[in-house]
Amino acid sequence: MGAGTFIKENSFPNAARFVRGFDMPLLVVLVTLVVFGLVMLYSASWDFSFAAYDGDAMYMFNRQLMWLGLGSTIALFLAFFDYHHWRRLIVPAMAFTILMLITVLVMSEIRFNARRAIFAGSVQPSELAKLISIIYLAVWLYAKRDLLQDISLGLIPLGVILGIVGGLIYQQPDLSAAGTVLMLGGLLFFLAGGDLKQIGVLLLIASVAAWIVASISLTGQERISDFVAGIKDPLQASYHVRRSFEAIVNGGWFGVGIGNSLSKVTGLPVPPTDSIFAVVVEELGWFGAVALIALYGLLVWRGFVIARRAPDMLGTLLASGLVLWVGMEALINMAVMVGLLPFAGNALPFISSGGSSLVTTLAAIGILFNISRQASLATNTSDDEWRTYSAVTHLRWWNGRRGVPRTVRLRNAKK
């Protein structure tokens, strides 16, 4: 037996077993986004790092590489970590997250007029809170799936959970992160089978709460007033949005070329973080912007495919919540930069500089890969509780009534 035969019969099967169940389209999209993000961050951060970090033009890029290595390691671990174990780990994980959020308020490290980070700005617990909140809600909704129609056991406990986490995040203040947690909670409650009347009440309460927050928060008032002014007349929008418009117009259809952005060196606020989408459009044009949006669309699509194929309701809720979070973060960031939403401060996933955002987003993708692997390795994919995401969404959106799980319909049909 030759060496070639040995490699063919031994090495390749091991490699095949290692990658078995990984969603390959998702992996390709992920790698493309990460590489694209590194290229754009290198371009957007060079001058900013040189000015902000004592002449070290590579500081932000090198830090991003470090966080990418950590995030990739965590993602790989979670890809092989059975997501069902979160059912017994999520309570201590949530307790640790709340402790971290409290630590932010106690330590009071002020950066950019907010208390969002600890350890010299290296860690933002609000990013971890988004990830852990999704996992916690998925596990909680899965455990309480038979009680969701009871308002005292469904809507009220959900509101308490979201209120504690969202309230701590708001105190930093981080309005966008608090809003993201609340929106994801409502979406997961809907996907888990919550009553539409309860969801309507939840939306009403959330709307009133948002109006109150905007009314009493100076930051919220300023952002809302700038947004309204910008909708009426783009020339009256906030300075940040006006400079973003300038970069986008300068980019045209095909951009000025990577590294040739003028706005990033002439006053565009924080080009490596909040404003990096404006740099992308200026350097790559609308062609590059559409390509980036398409990549996020593909990522969300693959996430929903994984959710639909998940072996149980827990996997479906986790996959749906995680991919909705990533897609929502991207949508908000890009919409803000073109003046379609009030300024929020959300990172652009995989693109913006920021270790907390990159690590937690990669961790979310790692869990998605595990759900994909669990689905492919499962010998029995039947789930008498609830089988597929499509069984709920199809009936709700098209028939306008509460969804009936597929397994229940099949069981009744056999009688």
Side-chain angles (χ1 to χ4, degrees):
M1 181 182 294
T5 304
F6 178 81
I7 293 175
K8 181 178 179 180
E9 294 183 356
N10 292 278
S11 298
F12 288 180
N14 291 335
R17 284 195 296 269
F18 181 80
V19 300
R20 181 182 178 186
F22 276 80
D23 190 275
M24 287 297 109
L26 177 62
L27 182 60
V28 171
V29 172
L30 173 64
V31 172
T32 305
L33 278 170
V34 168
V35 172
F36 183 89
L38 289 175
V39 172
M40 294 312 306
L41 178 62
Y42 179 82
S43 174
S45 66
W46 181 275
D47 298 283
F48 186 88
S49 291
F50 185 86
Y53 298 102
D54 300 324
D56 187 357
M58 295 290 291
Y59 179 83
M60 297 187 76
F61 182 77
N62 289 336
R63 292 274 294 182
Q64 192 79 346
L65 288 178
M66 180 190 73
W67 292 117
L68 176 60
L70 176 62
S72 299
T73 302
I74 293 174
L76 185 62
F77 169 77
L78 291 176
F80 290 91
F81 181 79
D82 189 342
Y83 68 88
H84 294 95
H85 293 324
W86 284 108
R87 296 180 65 182
R88 54 187 174 83
L89 296 177
I90 192 56
V91 172
M94 177 58 81
F96 173 77
T97 301
I98 292 175
L99 179 62
M100 292 284 284
L101 292 172
I102 295 173
T103 302
V104 171
L105 301 178
V106 172
M107 294 183 67
S108 295
E109 290 187 14
I110 306 297
R111 296 175 65 86
F112 304 108
N113 299 318
R115 295 170 294 176
R116 300 180 185 176
I118 54 178
F119 305 123
S122 299
V123 177
Q124 287 191 352
S126 60
E127 295 295 330
L128 175 65
K130 296 175 188 177
L131 174 64
I132 295 300
S133 295
I134 293 170
I135 301 174
Y136 186 93
L137 287 168
V139 171
W140 186 86
L141 290 168
Y142 176 69
K144 304 294 184 182
R145 56 193 178 277
D146 296 327
L147 305 173
L148 294 181
Q149 309 309 315
D150 187 335
I151 190 169
S152 62
L153 297 174
L155 184 61
I156 293 177
L158 176 66
V160 172
I161 295 168
L162 296 177
I164 292 174
V165 177
L168 288 172
I169 294 174
Y170 170 71
Q171 292 299 319
Q172 297 180 7
D174 193 342
L175 278 66
S176 61
T180 299
V181 169
L182 293 175
M183 286 188 288
L184 288 170
L187 286 171
L188 284 176
F189 187 71
F190 171 76
L191 294 179
D195 187 86
L196 289 177
K197 293 180 180 178
Q198 293 193 36
I199 295 171
V201 173
L202 183 64
L203 290 175
L204 178 61
I205 294 173
S207 300
V208 173
W211 179 81
I212 293 174
V213 167
S215 299
I216 65 176
S217 168
L218 294 178
T219 301
Q221 291 178 21
E222 181 180 357
R223 292 179 178 179
I224 293 297
S225 62
D226 287 342
F227 171 69
V228 172
I231 290 294
K232 294 179 179 178
D233 182 1
L235 296 178
Q236 301 301 316
S238 67
Y239 174 79
H240 198 148
V241 174
R242 293 200 309 271
R243 293 311 305 266
S244 175
F245 284 159
E246 179 185 325
I248 292 170
V249 171
N250 190 41
W253 286 104
F254 298 102
V256 297
I258 294 178
N260 295 326
S261 168
L262 293 177
S263 62
K264 68 185 180 185
V265 296
T266 58
L268 179 67
V270 286
T273 55
D274 295 348
S275 303
I276 198 166
F277 181 68
V279 178
V280 170
V281 181
E282 184 176 11
E283 296 191 346
L284 300 179
W286 282 109
F287 176 80
V290 170
L292 178 59
I293 294 171
L295 285 173
Y296 285 123
L298 289 172
L299 185 144
V300 172
W301 167 60
R302 291 313 303 176
F304 282 134
V305 169
I306 291 171
R308 180 173 57 83
R309 296 174 178 173
D312 55 19
M313 177 183 177
L314 178 59
T316 296
L317 288 175
L318 271 175
S320 300
L322 292 172
V323 76
L324 280 171
W325 168 46
V326 177
M328 188 183 300
E329 292 278 291
L331 178 62
I332 292 174
N333 180 280
M334 293 184 289
V336 166
M337 286 297 99
V338 295
L340 295 179
L341 285 176
F343 192 83
N346 292 58
L348 189 59
F350 308 109
I351 313 296
S352 294
S353 173
S356 299
S357 172
L358 182 60
V359 171
T360 53
T361 307
L362 286 171
I365 299 300
I367 297 174
L368 280 177
F369 279 128
N370 182 256
I371 297 171
S372 173
R373 293 185 69 251
Q374 292 288 329
S376 68
L377 298 174
T379 56
N380 180 13
T381 59
S382 64
D383 185 354
D384 288 338
E385 310 147 341
W386 186 44
R387 175 62 188 90
T388 65
Y389 169 80
S390 59
V392 174
T393 55
H394 177 74
L395 287 177
R396 288 193 167 197
W397 289 114
W398 296 108
N399 292 351
R401 56 189 175 87
R402 185 169 179 269
V404 180
R406 179 185 302 174
T407 51
V408 175
R409 297 199 305 273
L410 291 176
R411 191 162 51 243
N412 291 338
K414 292 178 180 179
K415 292 180 179 180

